[in-house]
Amino acid sequence: MKTVIMAGGKGTRITSIAQDIPKPMIPLCGKPILEYQIECLKKNHLTDIIIIVGHLGHIIKEYFGDGSNFGCAISYYTETEPLGTAGALYKIKENLSDDFLLIHGDIIFDVDFSRFIEFHRTRKGAWATLAVHPNSHPYDSALLVTGTDNRVIQWLNKEDPRQYYKNQVNAGLHILTKALLSVIKPLSEKVDLDRDILKQLPADGKIYAYPTPEYIKDMGTPDRYAQVSADIESGMVRRRNLSVKQKAVFLDRDGTINKLNGFITKPELLELIPGAAEAIRKINNTGYLAIVITNQPVIARGETSLEELDVIHRKMETELGKSGAYVDDIFFCPHHPDKGFPGERPEYKIDCECRKPKPGMIFQAAEKYNIDLAQSYMVGDDGRDVEAGLAAGCTPVLLNNAGLAGFVETLFEEKSKANV
Ligand SMILES: [Zn+2]
């Protein structure tokens, strides 16, 4: 598979750091952003690279040459005038592979591309797959709304009204198909990938979102530049790659994140516990994955549908997002073993392997995200959480009155002691 890196844009917002070099050549801990990208691609055997250059492009060409010093084959396309985030693709169409990666040249990432490519290839007939992730300000971000099997069903622009939404932001890594370029014929030479191609796709054009908790950050502002530099130095960027064993804090939901309000059968009943969002935000910043593991027998009992449960979870994500917090995934058990209640759904009335105190959901999460359970925590307010954590080989934590906030404080104390 070929990779196209868009390195032609001018860096306007970050000029206080670098004025006379193209944005992808901005040094981070002594190396240009583009070099980190190429190293990561090389590690993933994605060594056939086309770089789109523009203004000051000669600096990029001189640095990387034909790529042989970097273990890659690099060719260039030079824009004589800016063609937007996708205009150049039409110029180099003949040189592209049927599926190709498209990467913005100003983001730092460390990603296991084999997972991303596998996800794309298992979505039969996909025209494009976009890597997505949660961010700390979903309320004013453009979001992707997805349906069954992670297919994109709606684009929420920054200014669009929104109520309860999944925290799902385009991360800047795309797998596109050459066929897409044949179907969409832009009106001018200057083409914006989102506006002029992806959003113009007919309803049967399939775009998928690939959620990943790996490190992918853009370098849009001086603040982010400082953060990304610190994350490279601390090893956080590399550690989040899913080919590396991950650490997680598994979180029970009811009584841990949201108040016990009887059974939560509709979104109105979901209310966060004070301090829970801040605690989860701290977990997000430690490099631990934050993954919800919750029993939801309300499905088996017929008190809530899967669609309603999805709205409840979107409300939870929306409320967490207001405090800059997010969860990396949600695993729920819809089952319940006891039969014989009015309105119940027999297909869910089974003695399953996922309902806590069984560790099934934790094992599913560990499999999906390559998690080292011995380095992970299962946190909850109930004995079943403790039992599930123990059975999975995690450190179980039964919350006291200090709640999730108290646990996170202890976790940080231990970490800072361990670092001394
Ligand atoms: Zn279950």
Side-chain angles (χ1 to χ4, degrees):
M1 185 181 287
K2 291 203 184 191
T3 302
V4 179
I5 303 178
M6 306 299 301
K10 287 186 198 175
T12 47
R13 281 185 294 173
I14 203 167
T15 45
S16 61
I17 292 160
Q19 291 185 336
D20 304 329
I21 53 174
K23 210 166 163 189
M25 291 303 284
I26 293 173
L28 272 169
C29 309
K31 255 191 308 194
I33 299 171
L34 201 45
E35 190 169 349
Y36 288 99
Q37 296 194 340
I38 288 170
E39 283 175 357
C40 180
L41 292 167
K42 162 96 183 3
K43 207 163 64 181
N44 283 276
H45 313 290
L46 294 160
T47 54
D48 200 347
I49 299 168
I50 304 171
I51 306 181
I52 311 295
V53 297
H55 180 61
L56 300 171
H58 63 279
I59 299 173
I60 295 174
K61 288 185 183 174
E62 280 159 23
Y63 192 93
F64 293 101
D66 65 0
S68 51
N69 289 343
F70 300 85
C72 296
I74 300 179
S75 61
Y76 299 89
Y77 176 81
T78 305
E79 292 179 343
T80 46
E81 57 185 292
L83 297 174
T85 51
L89 297 178
Y90 289 89
K91 308 281 185 190
I92 60 169
K93 196 175 151 196
E94 298 314 313
N95 296 326
L96 296 171
S97 44
D98 287 344
D99 290 349
F100 61 96
L101 261 170
L102 179 68
I103 295 174
H104 296 312
D106 60 348
I107 52 178
I108 278 288
F109 55 82
D110 200 326
V111 166
D112 182 354
F113 279 102
S114 61
R115 288 171 176 259
F116 187 14
I117 293 168
E118 173 69 13
F119 177 97
H120 173 73
R121 292 199 168 144
T122 51
R123 277 15 183 221
K124 293 282 172 248
W127 294 26
T129 302
L130 317 182
V132 293
H133 58 184
N135 77 3
S136 58
H137 51 99
Y139 44 85
D140 65 359
S141 298
L143 300 171
L144 291 173
V145 182
T146 45
T148 318
D149 200 28
N150 287 69
R151 185 168 168 192
V152 176
I153 51 174
Q154 195 193 347
W155 300 77
L156 269 182
N157 297 320
K158 283 181 190 189
E159 63 281 6
D160 289 341
R162 50 191 72 186
Q163 190 189 18
Y164 301 140
Y165 46 84
K166 194 165 172 55
N167 186 343
Q168 201 159 241
V169 179
N170 187 351
L173 304 176
H174 323 71
I175 298 173
L176 303 180
T177 53
K178 210 152 96 170
L180 188 67
L181 302 178
S182 304
V183 174
I184 305 292
K185 306 265 189 233
L187 298 173
S188 75
E189 290 221 309
K190 193 167 178 178
V191 185
D192 183 79
L193 178 67
D194 287 357
R195 191 191 56 225
D196 300 323
I197 299 184
L198 298 176
K199 291 181 186 175
Q200 299 303 326
L201 274 182
D204 59 346
K206 293 179 186 161
I207 307 180
Y208 290 89
Y210 168 68
T212 173
E214 293 166 299
Y215 196 99
I216 309 172
K217 276 211 172 104
D218 81 70
M219 303 285 301
T221 63
D223 277 0
R224 282 189 228 160
Y225 176 83
Q227 183 61 52
V228 172
S229 302
D231 291 341
I232 288 175
E233 273 172 0
S234 72
M236 165 93 90
V237 178
R238 189 176 37 81
R239 269 201 309 275
R240 295 301 287 259
N241 184 307
L242 286 176
S243 68
V244 177
K245 279 282 177 197
Q246 302 293 305
K247 298 184 290 187
V249 176
F250 297 110
L251 298 160
D252 168 49
R253 199 192 81 182
D254 303 326
T256 298
I257 298 175
N258 55 275
K259 293 180 186 171
L260 289 171
N261 233 348
F263 285 111
I264 309 294
T265 51
K266 45 184 187 238
E268 297 86 285
L269 294 172
L270 184 121
E271 197 185 339
L272 295 187
I273 294 171
E278 290 71 20
I280 292 175
R281 189 181 67 216
K282 287 181 185 163
I283 295 170
N284 298 148
N285 293 336
T286 55
Y288 280 85
L289 301 175
I291 295 176
V292 175
I293 301 286
T294 177
N295 289 350
Q296 290 303 325
V298 284
I299 300 291
R301 279 199 290 261
E303 292 166 359
T304 303
S305 65
L306 289 171
E307 292 71 25
E308 284 167 319
L309 182 61
D310 187 53
V311 180
I312 291 167
H313 284 154
R314 291 205 312 260
K315 180 176 183 189
M316 182 181 76
E317 290 202 42
T318 304
E319 295 297 322
L320 290 173
K322 289 178 184 167
S323 300
Y326 55 83
V327 293
D328 291 290
D329 208 339
I330 299 170
F331 291 80
F332 64 87
C333 163
H335 309 113
H336 195 268
D338 304 332
K339 295 190 180 87
F341 298 92
E344 69 184 20
R345 297 179 63 176
E347 68 271 35
Y348 293 116
K349 282 289 182 181
I350 57 164
D351 190 12
C352 65
E353 290 305 314
C354 44
R355 182 173 160 80
K356 293 181 287 186
K358 287 185 182 170
M361 288 186 279
I362 302 179
F363 288 148
Q364 280 174 36
E367 168 82 24
K368 186 170 176 186
Y369 295 109
N370 193 21
I371 294 167
D372 181 355
L373 292 172
Q375 289 203 67
S376 300
Y377 297 85
M378 174 68 224
V379 183
D381 66 326
D382 189 291
R384 277 178 291 202
D385 299 315
V386 171
E387 279 183 61
L390 278 174
C394 304
T395 304
V397 178
L398 185 63
L399 293 178
N400 58 23
N401 290 340
L404 195 52
F407 157 71
V408 167
E409 229 163 79
T410 322
L411 177 70
F412 276 102
E413 260 171 41
E414 282 169 13
K415 295 288 155 200
S416 58
K417 273 187 212 146
N419 288 339
V420 172

